[in-house]
Amino acid sequence: MKKSKSAITILRWIIGVFLFLTALGAGMNVSGLMLIVAGILCLPIPALREWISRITKGRATRKVKIISVLLLFFFALLLSPSTSSSSVPVDANSASVSSSLAIPASSEASENALAEPVASSTPNETPPENSELQVHYIDVGQADAIFLSCDGHNMMIDGGNVADSSLVYSYLNKLGVSQLDYVIATHAHEDHVGGLAAILKRCDVGTIYSPVTSYSTKAFSNFNKYVEAQGKTITVPTPGTTFQLGSAQVEIVGPITIDSSDPNNTSIVCRVSHGNNHFLFSGDAEREEEQAILAAGYDLSANVYKVGHHGSDTSSSYPFLREIMPSIAVVSVGKDNSYGHPDDNTLSRLKDAGATVYRTDLQGDIIITSNGTNVDVATEKSGEIQSSYQNDVSQATGNNVGGGGNANAVPPAAVSPETGDGYIGNLNSRKLHRPSCSKLPKESNRVYFATRDEAINSGYDPCKICHP
């Protein structure tokens, strides 16, 4: 009998110590505290036995302790953070745009839980040898939807309009994406937040960023509804916030202040660094927000720039572009949109900055891949690309007077505002104008045509102001 009691005492000490050690591993949270209490109840301490006996009035002391320990242990397991994780399945043959759309695989990302924001002290650290950052600028017309993937970790910046929900979800589904570490709604307008509700409904999501937590539209209400359905809350980031996306670092640089009168100027602006390559995403930020970010002194240099506000003239100011100095600019814009985006002035500024411009209305889905040193661009369509000034003439399909001695060039004298003879094309925007139009491009950006048919056959669209 004494041997049996001794064995039970030893067993209780072992269980108690085991629960204490498990509590240490769980950390100082509700789960850990439950395990500590369960461990104390297991210990064969006379004073504890007397205290429980007084509470239960001497009835079933042992049973109470056993039941209490089992319940505490069970609920501690229920409340403990899940340590299991699943990798994002990748099927390189399922991409509908091109073979380069497959999410880059990494030997370090076979088992990845949703990431938490973590500051990095080495933003320009060379990424692992096989690391790739892919940025997909999805063609959602007059809206923004951008998917990023690095080393098995995924992020979505905006989701297009509500009408784009199926398109965006299908795009992610074909890539095998079922989880997103981060979702950024740059601002509350429908053409950015509208399609995110469908993504939140179908994908497991980690951290969700937005500059505001409420906005009086159905699109934002639906977005909020599925944020709550995920058991999450919206995080309003502060400038300077950094976190890791695989081996890439994301830094929030705006908005500096929230101007509730203009949602565009509440846009979250972020810079993603992958080795020596940097990507800047500016939502619909306009000149006022650009100036505030410049005044704050953040590093904005980036070789790839997502052009602000779909190429509106109110964004991508010269001071902002001087800090970025992009070699590649991407405009997410709808074909023949009613806003006239991208604006000729914006395209001219991008040209002056030396950027090669890609547009979703011309190239469709645009995928840019970084290996930390170089970037490669793949496009769904082979639409004409606006290069920097030195390359404009060689890429134009029209006849550019003074652009290198084209034998079929139409002399400027044959294009007359007084008589209305001839037509003038814009090399950047591919718009065709009458010589009397108020929206004529600069001389260096003009191409001349003798007839309208010649211009249309060369791929130029009639201006909606002068209707040539």
Side-chain angles (χ1 to χ4, degrees):
M1 187 70 177
K2 288 182 180 180
K3 288 183 179 180
S4 176
K5 286 186 176 181
S6 298
I8 291 173
T9 301
I10 292 169
L11 180 62
R12 288 172 65 183
W13 276 107
I14 291 172
I15 294 173
V17 171
F18 168 76
L19 291 172
F20 285 139
L21 293 174
T22 305
L24 288 174
M28 291 306 295
N29 50 34
V30 175
S31 176
L33 291 174
M34 285 184 171
L35 290 170
I36 289 173
V37 173
I40 292 171
L41 289 175
C42 282
L43 298 178
I45 302 173
L48 180 63
R49 185 169 61 249
E50 291 174 8
W51 179 72
I52 294 174
S53 179
R54 282 200 300 271
I55 292 175
T56 61
K57 298 181 180 180
R59 295 193 296 269
T61 304
R62 181 178 295 176
K63 287 182 180 179
V64 169
K65 289 173 71 175
I66 292 171
I67 292 170
S68 298
V69 168
L70 290 174
L71 286 174
L72 285 166
F73 185 71
F74 174 74
F75 283 111
L77 288 179
L78 267 181
L79 295 173
S80 64
S82 176
T83 56
S84 63
S85 61
S86 59
S87 59
V88 178
V90 176
D91 181 359
N93 297 318
S94 66
S96 61
V97 178
S98 73
S99 60
S100 65
L101 284 179
I103 297 175
S106 169
S107 58
E108 297 180 5
S110 58
E111 295 290 333
N112 291 308
L114 297 178
E116 294 294 330
V118 177
S120 171
S121 59
T122 54
N124 293 318
E125 182 180 351
T126 303
E129 185 178 350
N130 295 323
S131 175
E132 277 191 350
L133 167 66
Q134 280 196 348
V135 183
H136 300 241
Y137 303 84
I138 305 171
D139 180 11
V140 285
Q142 189 67 18
D144 274 11
I146 305 161
F147 171 69
L148 297 86
S149 180
C150 185
D151 308 333
H153 292 273
N154 304 317
M155 178 167 75
M156 195 77 199
I157 301 177
D158 292 333
N161 285 293
V162 172
D164 301 315
S165 298
S166 296
L167 185 156
V168 176
Y169 174 69
S170 296
Y171 191 101
L172 297 182
N173 192 46
K174 286 176 181 177
L175 292 176
V177 176
S178 59
Q179 69 176 36
L180 295 163
D181 297 87
Y182 303 97
V183 167
I184 296 178
T186 59
H187 63 292
H189 280 160
E190 190 209 337
D191 58 326
H192 293 256
V193 77
L196 289 178
I199 294 171
L200 290 170
K201 184 179 180 180
R202 294 172 172 87
C203 295
D204 294 327
V205 176
T207 304
I208 302 166
Y209 289 112
S210 171
V212 294
T213 57
S214 63
Y215 191 68
S216 58
T217 62
K218 184 177 181 181
F220 197 89
S221 296
N222 282 338
F223 167 63
N224 238 335
K225 172 184 174 182
Y226 287 103
V227 169
E228 293 172 1
Q230 289 258 359
K232 306 288 183 180
T233 56
I234 290 173
T235 299
V236 178
T238 56
T241 297
T242 61
F243 55 88
Q244 293 298 128
L245 183 72
S247 56
Q249 178 185 263
V250 183
E251 181 181 23
I252 306 294
V253 299
I256 305 300
T257 58
I258 298 294
D259 178 7
S260 58
S261 65
D262 185 359
N264 287 335
N265 282 326
T266 67
S267 290
I268 293 176
V269 179
C270 63
R271 182 175 182 259
V272 179
S273 300
H274 184 244
N276 294 323
N277 294 322
H278 308 280
F279 297 72
L280 188 70
F281 304 90
S282 59
D284 280 358
E286 299 186 333
R287 284 191 181 93
E288 294 79 7
E289 185 177 351
E290 291 177 356
Q291 289 169 359
I293 293 171
L294 290 171
Y298 286 103
D299 183 1
L300 302 178
S301 60
N303 42 331
V304 182
Y305 168 51
K306 200 292 294 183
V307 177
H309 201 178
H310 318 289
S312 168
D313 188 36
T314 58
S315 302
S316 304
S317 60
Y318 270 124
F320 200 58
L321 288 176
R322 275 197 295 269
E323 290 300 314
I324 304 168
M325 291 306 292
S327 56
I328 295 172
V330 179
V331 187
S332 185
V333 64
K335 183 176 175 62
D336 297 327
N337 65 85
S338 59
Y339 304 97
H341 295 161
D343 190 273
D344 289 348
N345 292 325
T346 303
L347 292 172
S348 181
R349 292 195 293 270
L350 291 168
K351 172 183 167 183
D352 292 343
T356 297
V357 178
Y358 293 85
R359 298 165 44 170
T360 56
D361 62 331
L362 299 179
Q363 280 83 44
D365 301 320
I366 299 162
I367 308 94
I368 302 181
T369 303
S370 163
N371 63 5
T373 304
N374 303 309
V375 295
D376 294 319
V377 182
T379 62
E380 178 187 17
K381 303 173 186 175
S382 57
E384 185 172 346
I385 297 165
Q386 173 193 313
S387 293
S388 57
Y389 178 75
Q390 293 82 354
N391 296 323
D392 273 346
V393 174
S394 63
Q395 291 191 351
T397 52
N399 301 315
N400 183 17
V401 173
N406 191 317
N408 297 317
V410 179
V415 180
S416 170
E418 289 76 19
T419 64
D421 293 336
Y423 298 89
I424 299 173
N426 185 316
L427 280 170
N428 287 343
S429 66
R430 312 293 291 168
K431 292 293 183 184
L432 183 66
H433 304 273
R434 292 183 183 276
S436 58
C437 183
S438 61
K439 288 288 187 179
L440 289 178
K442 296 177 181 179
E443 289 285 350
S444 60
N445 193 35
R446 294 183 183 184
V447 56
Y448 299 88
F449 298 94
T451 66
R452 186 180 188 277
D453 288 343
E454 181 186 1
I456 298 299
N457 291 335
S458 296
Y460 283 76
D461 295 324
C463 170
K464 293 184 179 179
I465 295 174
C466 63
H467 302 288

